[in-house]
Amino acid sequence: MLTRKQYELLRFIESRLGEDGVSPSFDEMKEALGLKSKSGIHRLITALVERGFIRRLPHRARALEILKLPEDVQPSHSPAQQTQQAVQELTNVVSGHFMKTSPVEELSSDSHQLSQLPMYGRIAAGTAIEALSDPSGMIDVPPSMLGMGEHYALEVDGDSMIDAGIHDGDTVIISRCDNAENGTIVVALVDDSEVTLKRLRRKGDSIALEPANTAYETRICGPDQVKVQGRLVGLLRNY
């Protein structure tokens, strides 16, 4: 059962794919649905993916594929036509003889090996999560790193969590949530203005945000100052 906005977005994506075979941009989706934030579009797309109505095609921007439609909707083009369009666009970009498998087999194989998450940019002080970056930027991650629910990625800025194995420039995988157990490393929004990656400790009516570096001090906040934006579930690093 889809919500009204999920239904409207699915119909809009299906209509655009039927017209020219290209997925609409996040800005176009936001305007079509009358939403103020592209983060709302991301949440709707994630919900449609989880319910099996659409999937993201890896390694390509603005790449969505309709898997099924509600029973009362007649498709404007078949899934086979859409897949063929995706394969054609892929082969137009990548040339050469690098693989023995066909483009269709390679595309299908990649889609099972990797999942795509929105990359919100660097986790920096003074900026709320939703404003960190254009969430239409995506990053490929192994599905084994993800559990249930909604996830996103952030690039770490600084060394305040280095003793927890989190280095400057690392990419952290975050499971979106609004609560977390003591000792969990979380993305915390402080005073609705500053976002930080720290270990969460509750001490009576206070909340401590602990760094993992002795060069930094633990920050003590009131219960209404801190909003949990997600918890750390994975980390990627380039050498």
Side-chain angles (χ1 to χ4, degrees), residues 33-45:
L33 270 67
L35 298 180
K36 296 181 179 179
S37 170
K38 285 186 284 188
S39 63
I41 294 297
H42 165 66
R43 285 191 286 270
L44 291 173
I45 288 178

Side-chain angles (χ1 to χ4, degrees), residues 188-208:
L189 180 64
V190 183
D191 293 328
D192 291 323
S193 62
E194 178 186 351
V195 67
T196 185
L197 185 72
K198 293 292 185 291
R199 194 177 300 278
L200 179 75
R201 300 284 187 189
R202 293 185 178 86
K203 301 178 179 179
D205 292 333
S206 299
I207 295 177

Side-chain angles (χ1 to χ4, degrees), residues 112-128:
H112 288 291
Q113 292 175 358
L114 296 171
S115 297
Q116 287 194 319
L117 297 182
M119 183 68 178
Y120 279 90
R122 294 179 73 83
I123 181 167
T127 309

Side-chain angles (χ1 to χ4, degrees), residues 207-222:
I207 295 177
L209 298 176
E210 296 179 350
N213 185 335
T214 55
Y216 296 82
E217 295 183 355
T218 296
R219 185 170 182 175
I220 306 299
C221 303

Side-chain angles (χ1 to χ4, degrees), residues 78-106:
S78 69
Q81 288 174 318
Q82 183 178 326
T83 300
Q84 184 60 41
Q85 174 73 23
V87 171
Q88 184 61 46
E89 292 178 4
L90 184 64
T91 54
N92 285 343
V93 174
V94 181
S95 60
H97 304 281
F98 304 109
M99 55 189 175
K100 295 181 180 179
T101 56
S102 70
V104 174
E105 291 171 339
E106 185 70 17

Side-chain angles (χ1 to χ4, degrees), residues 3 19 36 72 79-80 91 114 124 127 144 156 166 174-175 188 200 215 221:
T3 66
E19 290 174 1
K36 296 181 179 179
D72 62 332
T91 54
L114 296 171
T127 309
S144 59
V156 175
I166 304 170
I174 305 297
S175 174
L200 179 75
C221 303

